[in-house]
Amino acid sequence: MRGYLDLMKLRVVELLLVSTLPAMVLAAKGLPDFGLTIVTIIAGTLAAGSANAFNMVIESDLDKLMARTSKRPIVTGLISKRNAALFATLIGAISLALFWIYTTALATLLALIAIIFYVVVYTMALKQRTSQNIVWGGAAGCMPVLIGWAAVTNSLALTPWAFFFVIFFWTPPHFWALAIKYKDDYAAAGTPMLPVVASKNRVRTEMWFHTIMMIASSIWLISSAQLPMWSLVITVVLGLVFARQLMALKEGSQDYGKVAGKIFQWSITYLSLLSVVLVVAQLLS
């Protein structure tokens, strides 16, 4: 059972769900229906878990080459590729069924698109071919925002798209910070993550660009959702703290890897705090 849970990468799924709830609160302009919320979270967990499990099936040979992934259940032989693929298919189907029966048709379609995009576009088409893999492939990780909104309204609007772009621009600096730490692993697997194939200066420059765009998108989000001014101030401050972490990521720094690790940790804190701000601001407005 632990092996099958590991296939779902539940620690990664947690980050996806962090953005689902505030999207639902913003869509409902208050607390959404409790039953709908629970079903959406469960179905979203299964959808993301399905995509992650398919990812492990496809990349099992590459996972053998990386110390970080060498203990995954398919690599160790705990679970066969066939059983892993069947498991991914089963929980994916259950996810879509839950979305279809208990939420909306649009939420179901978006969940299906998210799974296909992560498995086919990111894992199969982009990851081993371009250093911008996480930029475009990371769009799959933004989908829970649209799914959460659609589960409540069966429609989309500017506000969920603004939230989508916050996460879209948050993803590259978040993941590249991790990739800096595991640069040798990705190099051994032949995966062209940006920190593997580009100079430290270019990596830093691109992280700055995405961070600035993330802050701009967060301002758009607060404005579009018509949340109170104090939430805008806090959101900008959170973004500036994110930017402050990047200032220490200098090419000649002896603590380059350690600084990257701090950026990665703060990026998780940033997304969590932003989600709390959005929920509280909507409930108090």
Side-chain angles (χ1 to χ4, degrees), residues 92-116:
I94 294 174
S95 166
L96 296 176
L98 289 174
F99 274 122
W100 179 260
I101 296 170
Y102 296 105
T103 68
T104 67
L106 181 57
T108 307
L109 176 61
L110 291 171
L112 177 61
I113 291 173
I115 294 172
I116 293 174

mmCIF file of all heavy atoms in Angstrom, residues 92-116:
data_model
loop_
_atom_site.group_PDB
_atom_site.id
_atom_site.type_symbol
_atom_site.label_atom_id
_atom_site.label_comp_id
_atom_site.label_asym_id
_atom_site.label_seq_id
_atom_site.Cartn_x
_atom_site.Cartn_y
_atom_site.Cartn_z
ATOM 1 N N GLY A 92 -7.221 7.454 -12.002
ATOM 2 C CA GLY A 92 -7.571 8.526 -12.924
ATOM 3 C C GLY A 92 -9.035 8.440 -13.324
ATOM 4 O O GLY A 92 -9.744 9.454 -13.375
ATOM 5 N N ALA A 93 -9.489 7.224 -13.610
ATOM 6 C CA ALA A 93 -10.892 7.016 -13.990
ATOM 7 C C ALA A 93 -11.827 7.355 -12.828
ATOM 8 O O ALA A 93 -12.879 7.978 -13.024
ATOM 9 C CB ALA A 93 -11.094 5.569 -14.427
ATOM 10 N N ILE A 94 -11.454 6.951 -11.613
ATOM 11 C CA ILE A 94 -12.270 7.267 -10.431
ATOM 12 C C ILE A 94 -12.348 8.779 -10.242
ATOM 13 O O ILE A 94 -13.414 9.338 -9.939
ATOM 14 C CB ILE A 94 -11.694 6.591 -9.175
ATOM 15 C CG1 ILE A 94 -11.815 5.072 -9.287
ATOM 16 C CG2 ILE A 94 -12.401 7.099 -7.921
ATOM 17 C CD1 ILE A 94 -11.142 4.317 -8.154
ATOM 18 N N SER A 95 -11.217 9.454 -10.433
ATOM 19 C CA SER A 95 -11.176 10.903 -10.297
ATOM 20 C C SER A 95 -12.162 11.572 -11.248
ATOM 21 O O SER A 95 -12.983 12.410 -10.843
ATOM 22 C CB SER A 95 -9.762 11.419 -10.587
ATOM 23 O OG SER A 95 -9.759 12.816 -10.785
ATOM 24 N N LEU A 96 -12.099 11.185 -12.520
ATOM 25 C CA LEU A 96 -12.979 11.793 -13.521
ATOM 26 C C LEU A 96 -14.442 11.471 -13.246
ATOM 27 O O LEU A 96 -15.324 12.313 -13.462
ATOM 28 C CB LEU A 96 -12.573 11.327 -14.914
ATOM 29 C CG LEU A 96 -11.167 11.755 -15.380
ATOM 30 C CD1 LEU A 96 -10.844 11.150 -16.735
ATOM 31 C CD2 LEU A 96 -11.060 13.277 -15.435
ATOM 32 N N ALA A 97 -14.700 10.265 -12.752
ATOM 33 C CA ALA A 97 -16.075 9.885 -12.413
ATOM 34 C C ALA A 97 -16.598 10.755 -11.274
ATOM 35 O O ALA A 97 -17.757 11.215 -11.310
ATOM 36 C CB ALA A 97 -16.124 8.407 -12.038
ATOM 37 N N LEU A 98 -15.769 10.985 -10.270
ATOM 38 C CA LEU A 98 -16.182 11.830 -9.145
ATOM 39 C C LEU A 98 -16.448 13.257 -9.607
ATOM 40 O O LEU A 98 -17.447 13.874 -9.204
ATOM 41 C CB LEU A 98 -15.095 11.818 -8.060
ATOM 42 C CG LEU A 98 -14.932 10.516 -7.275
ATOM 43 C CD1 LEU A 98 -13.726 10.601 -6.347
ATOM 44 C CD2 LEU A 98 -16.200 10.218 -6.460
ATOM 45 N N PHE A 99 -15.554 13.773 -10.425
ATOM 46 C CA PHE A 99 -15.764 15.128 -10.947
ATOM 47 C C PHE A 99 -17.075 15.208 -11.737
ATOM 48 O O PHE A 99 -17.845 16.153 -11.598
ATOM 49 C CB PHE A 99 -14.595 15.545 -11.849
ATOM 50 C CG PHE A 99 -13.430 16.148 -11.108
ATOM 51 C CD1 PHE A 99 -12.156 15.585 -11.196
ATOM 52 C CD2 PHE A 99 -13.597 17.290 -10.340
ATOM 53 C CE1 PHE A 99 -11.079 16.151 -10.529
ATOM 54 C CE2 PHE A 99 -12.519 17.864 -9.654
ATOM 55 C CZ PHE A 99 -11.260 17.292 -9.750
ATOM 56 N N TRP A 100 -17.310 14.199 -12.583
ATOM 57 C CA TRP A 100 -18.485 14.215 -13.455
ATOM 58 C C TRP A 100 -19.787 14.101 -12.664
ATOM 59 O O TRP A 100 -20.761 14.817 -12.934
ATOM 60 C CB TRP A 100 -18.382 13.068 -14.464
ATOM 61 C CG TRP A 100 -19.557 12.993 -15.397
ATOM 62 C CD1 TRP A 100 -20.637 12.165 -15.316
ATOM 63 C CD2 TRP A 100 -19.781 13.804 -16.558
ATOM 64 N NE1 TRP A 100 -21.512 12.391 -16.347
ATOM 65 C CE2 TRP A 100 -21.007 13.391 -17.131
ATOM 66 C CE3 TRP A 100 -19.052 14.823 -17.178
ATOM 67 C CZ2 TRP A 100 -21.514 13.982 -18.286
ATOM 68 C CZ3 TRP A 100 -19.570 15.408 -18.333
ATOM 69 C CH2 TRP A 100 -20.783 14.980 -18.876
ATOM 70 N N ILE A 101 -19.797 13.220 -11.675
ATOM 71 C CA ILE A 101 -21.026 12.950 -10.928
ATOM 72 C C ILE A 101 -21.336 14.054 -9.911
ATOM 73 O O ILE A 101 -22.493 14.473 -9.758
ATOM 74 C CB ILE A 101 -20.939 11.594 -10.206
ATOM 75 C CG1 ILE A 101 -20.834 10.463 -11.239
ATOM 76 C CG2 ILE A 101 -22.142 11.378 -9.297
ATOM 77 C CD1 ILE A 101 -20.497 9.115 -10.632
ATOM 78 N N TYR A 102 -20.299 14.533 -9.231
ATOM 79 C CA TYR A 102 -20.542 15.414 -8.089
ATOM 80 C C TYR A 102 -20.174 16.883 -8.315
ATOM 81 O O TYR A 102 -20.537 17.732 -7.486
ATOM 82 C CB TYR A 102 -19.783 14.898 -6.863
ATOM 83 C CG TYR A 102 -20.269 13.548 -6.401
ATOM 84 C CD1 TYR A 102 -19.516 12.396 -6.636
ATOM 85 C CD2 TYR A 102 -21.490 13.414 -5.739
ATOM 86 C CE1 TYR A 102 -19.959 11.151 -6.219
ATOM 87 C CE2 TYR A 102 -21.941 12.170 -5.317
ATOM 88 C CZ TYR A 102 -21.165 11.042 -5.559
ATOM 89 O OH TYR A 102 -21.614 9.823 -5.151
ATOM 90 N N THR A 103 -19.436 17.196 -9.385
ATOM 91 C CA THR A 103 -19.101 18.602 -9.608
ATOM 92 C C THR A 103 -19.724 19.062 -10.931
ATOM 93 O O THR A 103 -20.926 19.044 -11.068
ATOM 94 C CB THR A 103 -17.575 18.845 -9.574
ATOM 95 O OG1 THR A 103 -16.927 18.226 -10.694
ATOM 96 C CG2 THR A 103 -16.968 18.299 -8.296
ATOM 97 N N THR A 104 -18.890 19.467 -11.881
ATOM 98 C CA THR A 104 -19.422 19.990 -13.141
ATOM 99 C C THR A 104 -18.710 19.375 -14.337
ATOM 100 O O THR A 104 -17.601 18.838 -14.210
ATOM 101 C CB THR A 104 -19.255 21.519 -13.215
ATOM 102 O OG1 THR A 104 -17.852 21.836 -13.298
ATOM 103 C CG2 THR A 104 -19.866 22.206 -11.992
ATOM 104 N N ALA A 105 -19.340 19.509 -15.496
ATOM 105 C CA ALA A 105 -18.743 18.978 -16.725
ATOM 106 C C ALA A 105 -17.434 19.684 -17.043
ATOM 107 O O ALA A 105 -16.462 19.062 -17.491
ATOM 108 C CB ALA A 105 -19.730 19.137 -17.881
ATOM 109 N N LEU A 106 -17.382 20.998 -16.807
ATOM 110 C CA LEU A 106 -16.164 21.758 -17.105
ATOM 111 C C LEU A 106 -15.016 21.335 -16.203
ATOM 112 O O LEU A 106 -13.873 21.191 -16.656
ATOM 113 C CB LEU A 106 -16.428 23.256 -16.959
ATOM 114 C CG LEU A 106 -15.231 24.168 -17.276
ATOM 115 C CD1 LEU A 106 -14.716 23.931 -18.688
ATOM 116 C CD2 LEU A 106 -15.608 25.645 -17.071
ATOM 117 N N ALA A 107 -15.299 21.124 -14.929
ATOM 118 C CA ALA A 107 -14.255 20.680 -14.002
ATOM 119 C C ALA A 107 -13.717 19.311 -14.425
ATOM 120 O O ALA A 107 -12.515 19.050 -14.348
ATOM 121 C CB ALA A 107 -14.802 20.611 -12.575
ATOM 122 N N THR A 108 -14.607 18.454 -14.887
ATOM 123 C CA THR A 108 -14.202 17.119 -15.356
ATOM 124 C C THR A 108 -13.290 17.231 -16.570
ATOM 125 O O THR A 108 -12.234 16.576 -16.645
ATOM 126 C CB THR A 108 -15.438 16.282 -15.730
ATOM 127 O OG1 THR A 108 -16.357 16.270 -14.641
ATOM 128 C CG2 THR A 108 -15.040 14.855 -16.069
ATOM 129 N N LEU A 109 -13.664 18.066 -17.519
ATOM 130 C CA LEU A 109 -12.857 18.260 -18.729
ATOM 131 C C LEU A 109 -11.489 18.828 -18.386
ATOM 132 O O LEU A 109 -10.458 18.367 -18.911
ATOM 133 C CB LEU A 109 -13.584 19.201 -19.691
ATOM 134 C CG LEU A 109 -12.820 19.585 -20.968
ATOM 135 C CD1 LEU A 109 -12.506 18.352 -21.801
ATOM 136 C CD2 LEU A 109 -13.610 20.609 -21.769
ATOM 137 N N LEU A 110 -11.448 19.796 -17.496
ATOM 138 C CA LEU A 110 -10.174 20.402 -17.110
ATOM 139 C C LEU A 110 -9.272 19.403 -16.392
ATOM 140 O O LEU A 110 -8.042 19.413 -16.576
ATOM 141 C CB LEU A 110 -10.434 21.620 -16.211
ATOM 142 C CG LEU A 110 -11.081 22.822 -16.907
ATOM 143 C CD1 LEU A 110 -11.495 23.873 -15.877
ATOM 144 C CD2 LEU A 110 -10.137 23.429 -17.936
ATOM 145 N N ALA A 111 -9.856 18.537 -15.575
ATOM 146 C CA ALA A 111 -9.075 17.503 -14.886
ATOM 147 C C ALA A 111 -8.462 16.537 -15.896
ATOM 148 O O ALA A 111 -7.300 16.138 -15.779
ATOM 149 C CB ALA A 111 -9.950 16.750 -13.890
ATOM 150 N N LEU A 112 -9.247 16.163 -16.899
ATOM 151 C CA LEU A 112 -8.740 15.285 -17.956
ATOM 152 C C LEU A 112 -7.607 15.956 -18.723
ATOM 153 O O LEU A 112 -6.576 15.326 -19.000
ATOM 154 C CB LEU A 112 -9.876 14.918 -18.908
ATOM 155 C CG LEU A 112 -9.491 14.059 -20.131
ATOM 156 C CD1 LEU A 112 -8.912 12.708 -19.691
ATOM 157 C CD2 LEU A 112 -10.709 13.850 -21.034
ATOM 158 N N ILE A 113 -7.785 17.223 -19.054
ATOM 159 C CA ILE A 113 -6.742 17.964 -19.759
ATOM 160 C C ILE A 113 -5.472 18.030 -18.925
ATOM 161 O O ILE A 113 -4.351 17.879 -19.438
ATOM 162 C CB ILE A 113 -7.237 19.385 -20.103
ATOM 163 C CG1 ILE A 113 -8.325 19.325 -21.166
ATOM 164 C CG2 ILE A 113 -6.079 20.266 -20.584
ATOM 165 C CD1 ILE A 113 -8.994 20.659 -21.444
ATOM 166 N N ALA A 114 -5.620 18.242 -17.614
ATOM 167 C CA ALA A 114 -4.456 18.337 -16.725
ATOM 168 C C ALA A 114 -3.656 17.032 -16.720
ATOM 169 O O ALA A 114 -2.423 17.048 -16.785
ATOM 170 C CB ALA A 114 -4.910 18.683 -15.311
ATOM 171 N N ILE A 115 -4.357 15.913 -16.639
ATOM 172 C CA ILE A 115 -3.676 14.614 -16.632
ATOM 173 C C ILE A 115 -2.947 14.392 -17.950
ATOM 174 O O ILE A 115 -1.748 14.034 -17.965
ATOM 175 C CB ILE A 115 -4.690 13.471 -16.394
ATOM 176 C CG1 ILE A 115 -5.289 13.564 -14.990
ATOM 177 C CG2 ILE A 115 -4.002 12.110 -16.578
ATOM 178 C CD1 ILE A 115 -6.432 12.597 -14.752
ATOM 179 N N ILE A 116 -3.636 14.613 -19.064
ATOM 180 C CA ILE A 116 -3.032 14.400 -20.383
ATOM 181 C C ILE A 116 -1.856 15.343 -20.599
ATOM 182 O O ILE A 116 -0.805 14.946 -21.119
ATOM 183 C CB ILE A 116 -4.089 14.590 -21.487
ATOM 184 C CG1 ILE A 116 -5.148 13.486 -21.408
ATOM 185 C CG2 ILE A 116 -3.435 14.587 -22.870
ATOM 186 C CD1 ILE A 116 -6.308 13.678 -22.362
#
